[in-house]
């Protein structure tokens, strides 16, 4: 395990057991109020600290790619050991009944231009732990990040949370090794909770999937391992300027951690606001009060109906099952395919599984502008078939542009053409990866663009201007802010 030294060198931690932290992880979901008010200051200090340049971390990730043998091969479904299409339904299932299932869904809604459709979707009942260990080193909060192999990663190894594991995995349904460090998140008394909140995943590809986004702080040392390294928030934010480095689960957990500090950017003289001045652009009043923002989202959740029911995969109209893929004849949206994986440092070294492969690079774009001297985001009420609560707050634009290449203007997502035009000022533009354990080469362009004062203050009903702290406040709660918006919120802090 690598600890950053003050002079940029790499220091190996001694192999000692982790110390016991004060609070009981099973007795409190959040830190005490006095500690909450201190969390923003500690996060701001960590964001200012960069004991090693981003290049050192990139070299470490490259070293792990070279040293750990990985082979991911696309295979026909017939060779996908342990998986089969269930008789009668055609659902793609694992022989153990665990992990996940690819089935069908029938959706009806009065939201958007398509009132009814069927599609394949991933059903996964397991609640995954996506957890990061934190520890103060030389008075600065550091985070234990993992160089983790996922079969769907475009570059094999990415910077992942300390633990990224479904209950099927950490309870060893695969009969492999236990997830390293999972005890800090499952055994009371091991560490102190900084944030612990259930959040949704991609509602277009998962049905009602949720993960436990959690950060636990330890007081003592942690058993070192060559696949793990301690990093400050500043180092991680710097890495967000590099494509496909900080994985999706790391981004959502850290966004939830920043949201857990209630004073984060709330005042112009706040330390966090000074550190993240470009993201918050504080100095005046928000356009809407927090109560008005919550009321808008609640009204949008109430404005639409969404009815979904599970249907057999074989009954999904417009999709075909071949020897190597379940896909649409026109190639749009996504495909389901099979892979065989050999990975040297995973709990199981060899396995087969299905993956969902999108048809193109996605786009998650935020339009921002200054109102009363304060940076505001144009958020959208986003409905997806897999949402647990009908609507979540999403980016201004969230789509795969290739799917709309031939669509007429009234069928194209609102503001898509704007964010791709020269009429905006680009503030952030980096391609980031989606989760590699279920998706193959799923890439999303994260885009933040600024518009001038002539852009309307009164947006259409499904859109709302809100400040970064207001969006972060919503992210403290479950199922209010979708995963693409949470990812963009973290990227805003890297601007």
């Amino acid at each position: 395990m690598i600890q950053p030294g003050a002079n940029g060198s790499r220091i190996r931690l001694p192999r000692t057991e982790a110390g016991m932290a004060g609070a009981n992880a099973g007795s409190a979901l959040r830190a005490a109020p006095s500690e909450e008010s201190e969390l923003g200051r500690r996060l701001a200090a960590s964001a200012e600290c960069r004991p090693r340049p981003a290049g050192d971390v990139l070299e470490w990730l490259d070293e792990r790619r070279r040293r750990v043998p990985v082979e991911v091969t696309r295979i026909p479904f017939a060779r996908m050991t342990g998986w089969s299409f269930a008789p009668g339904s055609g659902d793609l299932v694992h022989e153990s009944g665990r992990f996940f299932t690819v089935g069908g869904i029938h959706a009806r809604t009065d939201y958007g231009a398509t009132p009814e459709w069927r599609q394949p979707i991933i059903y996964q009942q397991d609640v995954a732990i996506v957890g990061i260990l934190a520890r103060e080193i030389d008075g600065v909060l550091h985070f234990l990040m993992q160089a983790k192999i996922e079969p769907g990663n475009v570059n094999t190894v990415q910077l992942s949370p300390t633990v990224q594991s479904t209950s099927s995995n950490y309870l060893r349904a695969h009969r492999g090794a236990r997830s390293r460090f999972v005890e800090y998140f499952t055994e009371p008394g091991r560490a102190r909770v900084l944030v612990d909140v259930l959040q949704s995943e991609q509602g277009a590809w998962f049905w009602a999937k949720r993960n436990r986004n959690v950060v636990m702080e330890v007081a003592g040392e942690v058993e070192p391992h060559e696949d793990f390294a301690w990093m400050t928030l500043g180092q991680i934010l710097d890495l967000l300027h590099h494509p496909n480095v900080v994985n999706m689960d790391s981004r959502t957990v850290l966004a939830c951690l920043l949201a857990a500090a209630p004073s984060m950017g709330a005042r112009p003289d706040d330390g966090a606001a000074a550190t993240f001045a470009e993201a918050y652009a504080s100095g005046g009043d928000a356009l809407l009060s927090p109560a008005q923002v919550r009321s808008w989202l609640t009204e949008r959740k109430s404005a639409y109906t969404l009815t979904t029911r599970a249907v057999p995969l074989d009954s999904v109209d417009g999709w075909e099952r071949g020897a190597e893929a379940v896909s649409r004849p026109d190639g749009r949206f996504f495909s389901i395919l099979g892979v065989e994986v050999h990975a040297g440092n995973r709990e199981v070294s060899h396995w087969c599984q299905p993956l969902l492969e999108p048809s193109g690079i996605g786009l998650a774009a935020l339009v921002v502008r200054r109102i009363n001297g304060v940076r505001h985001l144009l958020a959208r009420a986003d409905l997806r078939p897999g949402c647990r609560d009908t609507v979540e707050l999403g980016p201004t634009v969230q789509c795969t542009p290739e799917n709309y290449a031939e669509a007429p203007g009234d069928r194209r997502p609102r503001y898509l053409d704007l964010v791709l035009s020269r009429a905006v000022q680009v503030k952030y533009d980096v391609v980031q990866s989606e989760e590699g354990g279920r998706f193959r080469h799923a890439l999303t362009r994260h885009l933040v663009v600024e518009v001038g004062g002539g852009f309307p203050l009164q947006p259409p009903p499904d859109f709302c201007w809100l400040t970064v702290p207001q969006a972060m406040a919503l992210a403290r709660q479950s199922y209010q802010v979708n995963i693409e918006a949470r990812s963009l919120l973290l990227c805003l802090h890297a601007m």
Side-chain angles (χ1 to χ4, degrees), residues 29 39 43 130-135 141-144 162 184-185 191-197 212-218 250 252-258 260:
L29 292 181
L39 183 57
L43 290 173
V130 284
I132 297 176
L133 283 183
R135 178 186 170 216
L141 204 57
H142 285 65
F143 303 94
L144 187 59
T162 316
Y184 288 97
F185 303 92
R192 182 170 65 89
V193 179
L194 295 184
V195 66
D196 195 350
V197 59
R212 183 182 168 200
N213 287 236
V214 55
V215 179
M216 306 290 284
E217 184 176 8
V218 296
S250 296
T252 178
V253 174
L254 291 171
C256 291
L257 177 63
L258 289 171

Side-chain angles (χ1 to χ4, degrees), residues 187-242:
E187 298 177 8
R190 282 278 192 170
R192 182 170 65 89
V193 179
L194 295 184
V195 66
D196 195 350
V197 59
L198 288 172
Q199 295 287 12
S200 59
E201 287 206 41
Q202 290 84 352
W205 299 336
F206 281 113
W207 185 81
K209 176 72 169 67
R210 55 185 182 160
N211 283 340
R212 183 182 168 200
N213 287 236
V214 55
V215 179
M216 306 290 284
E217 184 176 8
V218 296
E221 294 174 349
V222 176
E223 183 73 16
H225 189 275
E226 60 189 351
D227 287 328
F228 295 79
W230 290 103
M231 300 176 195
T232 65
L233 182 56
Q235 290 175 290
I236 299 168
L237 293 176
D238 284 351
L239 292 168
L240 289 171
H241 292 278
H242 299 265

Side-chain angles (χ1 to χ4, degrees), residues 87-131:
S89 69
D91 290 354
L92 189 51
V93 299
H94 191 263
E95 61 186 4
S96 68
R98 299 296 298 270
F99 303 109
F100 62 95
T101 296
V102 181
I105 192 170
H106 181 194
R108 290 190 179 97
T109 184
D110 52 2
Y111 174 97
T114 306
E116 184 176 1
W117 71 95
R118 294 189 180 208
Q119 67 168 81
I121 202 162
I122 299 173
Y123 293 92
Q124 183 171 322
Q125 297 301 314
D126 287 353
V127 177
I129 293 174
V130 284

Side-chain angles (χ1 to χ4, degrees), residues 106-385:
H106 181 194
R108 290 190 179 97
T109 184
D110 52 2
Y111 174 97
T114 306
E116 184 176 1
W117 71 95
R118 294 189 180 208
Q119 67 168 81
I121 202 162
I122 299 173
Y123 293 92
Q124 183 171 322
Q125 297 301 314
D126 287 353
V127 177
I129 293 174
V130 284
I132 297 176
L133 283 183
R135 178 186 170 216
E136 279 205 358
I137 300 173
D138 296 331
V140 177
L141 204 57
H142 285 65
F143 303 94
L144 187 59
M145 308 303 292
Q146 179 183 182
K148 186 176 177 66
I149 294 170
E150 289 288 10
N153 285 348
V154 68
N155 51 357
T156 312
V157 176
Q158 294 183 10
L159 200 66
S160 305
T162 316
V163 172
Q164 180 183 314
S165 181
T166 66
S167 56
S168 289
N169 286 337
Y170 65 76
L171 295 176
R172 302 176 63 198
H174 49 40
R175 299 183 177 88
R178 193 184 191 197
S179 301
R180 194 175 300 275
F181 302 126
V182 72
E183 65 273 12
Y184 288 97
F185 303 92
T186 60
E187 298 177 8
R190 282 278 192 170
R192 182 170 65 89
V193 179
L194 295 184
V195 66
D196 195 350
V197 59
L198 288 172
Q199 295 287 12
S200 59
E201 287 206 41
Q202 290 84 352
W205 299 336
F206 281 113
W207 185 81
K209 176 72 169 67
R210 55 185 182 160
N211 283 340
R212 183 182 168 200
N213 287 236
V214 55
V215 179
M216 306 290 284
E217 184 176 8
V218 296
E221 294 174 349
V222 176
E223 183 73 16
H225 189 275
E226 60 189 351
D227 287 328
F228 295 79
W230 290 103
M231 300 176 195
T232 65
L233 182 56
Q235 290 175 290
I236 299 168
L237 293 176
D238 284 351
L239 292 168
L240 289 171
H241 292 278
H242 299 265
N244 308 314
V245 173
V246 181
N247 85 346
M248 182 203 77
D249 291 300
S250 296
R251 298 194 304 270
T252 178
V253 174
L254 291 171
C256 291
L257 177 63
L258 289 171
S263 65
M264 204 63 153
R267 304 183 309 276
D269 61 345
D270 181 75
T275 300
F276 302 117
E278 181 64 21
Y280 296 141
S282 302
D285 296 327
L287 182 65
L288 301 178
S289 70
Q292 288 174 308
V293 170
R294 290 193 299 269
S295 178
W296 168 79
L297 185 56
T298 301
E299 190 275 330
R300 291 292 89 193
K301 288 176 180 285
S302 306
Y304 298 110
T305 60
L306 172 65
T307 303
T308 61
R309 65 184 181 94
V311 297
L313 184 59
D314 280 349
S315 74
V316 175
D317 300 330
W319 295 74
E320 298 177 347
R321 187 177 94 196
E324 296 189 354
V326 176
S327 59
R328 288 173 55 99
D330 60 10
R332 296 173 69 203
F333 302 119
F334 60 84
S335 301
I336 304 294
L337 50 84
V339 296
E340 182 178 16
V341 186
H342 295 268
N345 69 345
R346 289 293 299 265
E347 297 89 345
V348 174
S349 61
H350 171 243
W351 74 94
C352 297
Q353 70 168 91
L355 289 174
L356 184 154
E357 183 177 60
S359 60
I361 296 178
L363 173 68
L366 271 176
V367 171
V368 303
R369 65 160 288 185
R370 292 175 188 253
I371 303 172
N372 301 327
V374 179
R375 187 179 303 287
H376 282 67
L377 322 173
L378 186 60
R380 187 179 97 264
D382 181 67
L383 182 146
R384 306 277 160 168

Side-chain angles (χ1 to χ4, degrees), residues 205 361-364 430-434 442-446 484:
W205 299 336
I361 296 178
L363 173 68
V430 181
V431 173
Q432 303 286 2
S433 290
E434 302 297 327
L443 308 177
T444 300
R445 181 184 178 189
H446 283 50
E484 291 82 4

